[in-house]
Amino acid sequence: MTTLTLTENRLRQFLALTKPRVVSLIVFTAVIGMFLAVPGVPPVSAVVFGTLGIALVAGAAAAINCLIEQKIDAVMARTRARPLPRGELTSVQTLVFAASIGAVGLLVLYAKVNPLTMWLTLATFVGYAIVYTVLLKPATPQNIVIGGASGAMPPVLGWAAVANDVAPEALLLFLIIFVWTPPHFWSLALYRAKEYAKAGLPMLPVTHGPEYTRLQIVLYTLVLFAVTLLPFAIRMSGFLYLGAALALGTVFVGYAVALLMRYSDELAQRTFRYSIFYLAALFSALLFDHYWQ
């Protein structure tokens, strides 16, 4: 292999540590928060440097998660191909990489955006990489509920990057993702329950069984349906968003009820995939509605 090929492979390995698909959704909701924070177009510098800083810190948190969970990842089919379980990167390399991009991201946020965004992003990093990964995930089946607070922060970070404050509307965006997280993740956990059990993780389908988990998915999805109507209720958005929220939410509830009534792994996979599309489409509707009014 040539030196260039080796370098490209190494870069791909480091990139894989950052969980690009997960980070892309994080960055997407953060950017939506930026545009919703102002009536017009947000400052270009805040968007560019805010996006860069948030993405780097999110990638660092993902890498720390991979570092801490490398033994768990090695026994799960979904994660055993990651660089650490395959021995492509060492723990020291991963730690240095995570620390480097995390520090750069925080520095960018502090120097080019504002200190509030930097501190909120740091708190989010600690919440995910330490509180969720180290303390909650191996200890309680409610890990994804409590730890979901970190995953719900990106639109708040985006809002703060532009407005330098955290308005009630930003907290409503947080609430939407916070309530969305359990049905999103538990639909995945249902068809991966045996892997989680093998890894020794107390995910809800492992500790309370699939029937209870499916019921919880229905309940959380109904709460999510109600919560997503709040932007219209407080006049944060208009009828364009309302129509999208009603349509998207109805389909999501339909998936949840179908899981409860006639479960299959294939249906759980479809529900999980739809939940990702749902969140992206819902936030896109918020953005379109914001400029449509």
Side-chain angles (χ1 to χ4, degrees):
M1 297 178 69
T2 65
T3 301
L4 179 60
T5 302
L6 289 171
T7 301
E8 290 176 349
N9 287 339
R10 183 51 54 90
L11 289 175
R12 279 196 292 267
Q13 291 160 7
F14 280 118
L15 180 63
L17 287 177
T18 66
K19 303 182 182 180
R21 287 187 293 180
V22 175
V23 170
S24 64
L25 188 59
I26 289 172
V27 171
F28 175 75
T29 57
V31 171
I32 298 296
M34 295 177 188
F35 280 85
L36 295 180
V38 292
V41 178
V44 173
S45 61
V47 173
V48 172
F49 289 113
T51 301
L52 176 62
I54 292 168
L56 287 172
V57 178
I64 292 296
N65 176 269
C66 289
L67 174 64
I68 295 170
E69 295 191 340
Q70 57 183 300
K71 292 182 179 180
I72 294 173
D73 288 346
V75 301
M76 298 186 66
R78 184 173 66 93
T79 56
R80 63 170 62 120
R82 288 175 178 171
L84 281 166
R86 288 172 59 89
E88 295 170 338
L89 294 173
T90 67
S91 296
V92 172
Q93 289 172 324
T94 302
L95 182 60
V96 171
F97 171 72
S100 299
I101 65 171
V104 170
L106 291 173
L107 181 62
V108 167
L109 293 175
Y110 185 87
K112 295 294 186 177
V113 184
N114 58 63
L116 174 63
T117 305
M118 187 277 286
W119 288 114
L120 289 173
T121 305
L122 177 60
T124 303
F125 172 89
V126 173
Y128 177 75
I130 307 300
V131 177
Y132 169 68
T133 302
V134 177
L135 301 177
L136 294 175
K137 193 170 183 178
T140 171
Q142 293 299 312
N143 47 26
I144 200 63
V145 178
I146 306 169
S150 296
M153 281 296 292
V156 178
L157 304 180
W159 189 290
V162 170
N164 199 20
D165 69 7
V166 178
E169 293 86 351
L171 297 178
L172 181 50
L173 300 177
F174 168 92
L175 181 61
I176 290 172
I177 301 181
F178 182 76
V179 180
W180 165 86
T181 302
H184 160 70
F185 195 85
W186 285 335
S187 60
L188 167 69
L190 278 170
Y191 66 89
R192 297 288 189 181
K194 291 181 180 179
E195 294 181 35
Y196 283 117
K198 183 179 179 181
L201 292 174
M203 307 309 294
L204 197 64
V206 176
T207 61
H208 289 67
E211 293 82 7
Y212 180 82
T213 304
R214 283 147 47 194
L215 176 60
Q216 291 300 304
I217 289 175
V218 171
L219 295 177
Y220 270 93
T221 306
L222 290 172
V223 174
L224 176 64
F225 187 93
V227 167
T228 57
L229 302 183
L230 292 178
F232 178 78
I234 66 170
R235 298 183 180 180
M236 177 183 175
S237 62
F239 285 99
L240 189 154
Y241 168 76
L242 177 64
L246 289 171
L248 292 165
T250 299
V251 175
F252 203 173
V253 170
Y255 270 111
V257 172
L259 277 180
L260 181 64
M261 303 300 294
R262 49 180 180 85
Y263 177 82
S264 70
D265 284 354
E266 191 273 336
L267 181 58
Q269 292 176 38
R270 284 167 50 199
T271 304
F272 174 73
R273 289 194 296 268
Y274 177 76
S275 70
I276 299 172
F277 166 79
Y278 168 88
L279 188 67
L282 188 77
F283 271 70
S284 295
L286 274 169
L287 179 63
F288 287 132
D289 185 275
H290 182 66
Y291 290 104
W292 181 269
Q293 297 183 74

